[in-house]
Amino acid sequence: MANKEALIAKAKDAITDFDDELAAEVAAEALAAGVDPVELIEKGFTAGMEEVGAQFEQGTLFLPHVLAAAEAMNAGIDVIKPEMEKRKSETKNFGTIVIGTIEGDIHSIGKDIVASMLNIAGFKVVDLGRDVPIKTFVEKAKEIKPQIIASSALMTTTMVNQIQIEEQLKEAGIRGQVKTMVGGAPVTQDWADKIGADIYGESATDVVSKVKAALL
């Protein structure tokens, strides 16, 4: 039976090779070998996606490659999901997070990874999808009263819309009742500070640790 490091490396390769069959296969192998599914996702699948994302930004890979890598990751996570659901039912819900890719932006890879990792960590995640209107974030905040409203932006032209979430939550009189989190390739801690967001998430792992620190 393969050791943990080999399985994690294989999981990463499955993503960078866009191989959904291999991703599902290594996920099943890892579960059988007793590898922590969270570690497999973080160090294997997510690491692979981050590598693909970096190559996409450098122009050495293109959107079809990113989508193929995402499909491979989803194939692996689908195998792991039942085990994660079982674990989740054994732990208490740590809070609710509403997440979405900001209006005008159709990218969802990073947001999907963050949503999966938060879910695995024991948070209830309400995923609004991509190209989400600002008013939808605000309406959902009023409706379900989450602890955090999180928005992802992958372009400088759409990240400016994250200001509107801050403004419209204030206008609705609920900004003080919810924390806001921003992330995405062009987003920085400076940007989060400038617009008044509570949390900046640099990566999926970073998001989980910061959300835990903010809420637990």
Side-chain angles (χ1 to χ4, degrees):
M1 192 175 284
N3 66 21
K4 182 175 76 173
E5 285 71 26
L7 287 167
I8 287 171
K10 192 172 170 184
K12 185 179 177 183
D13 289 344
I15 306 305
T16 55
D17 291 342
F18 322 113
D19 191 334
D20 49 356
E21 286 184 12
L22 181 61
E25 181 186 305
V26 72
E29 278 183 48
L31 285 178
V35 175
D36 180 359
V38 176
E39 195 172 357
L40 185 77
I41 292 171
E42 280 187 354
K43 296 181 179 175
F45 295 145
T46 303
M49 277 306 307
E50 286 170 352
E51 193 169 298
V52 169
Q55 289 184 55
F56 174 64
E57 283 177 28
Q58 290 160 10
T60 53
L61 288 179
F62 302 97
L63 190 57
H65 298 113
V66 176
L67 296 175
E71 279 182 23
M73 178 163 172
N74 287 336
I77 287 177
D78 282 346
V79 173
I80 291 169
K81 207 173 273 180
E83 174 63 22
M84 298 317 306
E85 290 298 326
K86 181 181 156 196
R87 285 189 180 200
K88 201 174 168 192
S89 68
E90 293 166 359
T91 60
K92 63 175 184 168
N93 175 20
F94 292 134
T96 302
I97 298 164
V98 168
I99 191 169
T101 303
I102 204 84
E103 188 171 359
D105 203 320
I106 59 166
H107 300 85
S108 65
I109 306 298
K111 182 266 299 173
D112 291 347
I113 293 172
V114 168
S116 294
M117 295 301 292
L118 286 169
N119 202 288
I120 287 164
F123 296 94
K124 180 183 178 185
V125 179
V126 179
D127 190 344
L128 302 178
R130 55 191 185 179
D131 193 16
V132 181
I134 309 303
K135 66 176 185 179
T136 304
F137 284 101
V138 178
E139 285 166 1
K140 196 55 80 170
K142 287 180 185 172
E143 179 194 336
I144 64 174
K145 298 179 173 55
Q147 278 69 47
I148 292 176
I149 291 281
S151 63
S152 171
L154 272 292
M155 300 183 289
T156 51
T157 50
T158 57
M159 67 188 258
V160 294
N161 290 330
Q162 291 176 325
I163 299 170
Q164 287 302 314
I165 292 180
E166 300 293 328
E167 295 304 319
Q168 291 190 30
L169 285 171
K170 285 175 191 168
E171 284 172 23
I174 57 172
R175 178 62 183 88
Q177 299 162 27
V178 64
K179 292 185 185 296
T180 56
M181 177 167 67
V182 293
V187 179
T188 62
Q189 182 66 59
D190 284 346
W191 172 249
D193 293 341
K194 183 179 177 182
I195 67 172
D198 297 301
I199 304 167
Y200 160 61
E202 187 175 2
S203 65
T205 310
D206 184 51
V207 165
V208 171
S209 63
K210 284 180 177 172
V211 167
K212 282 182 174 177
L215 299 185
L216 303 184

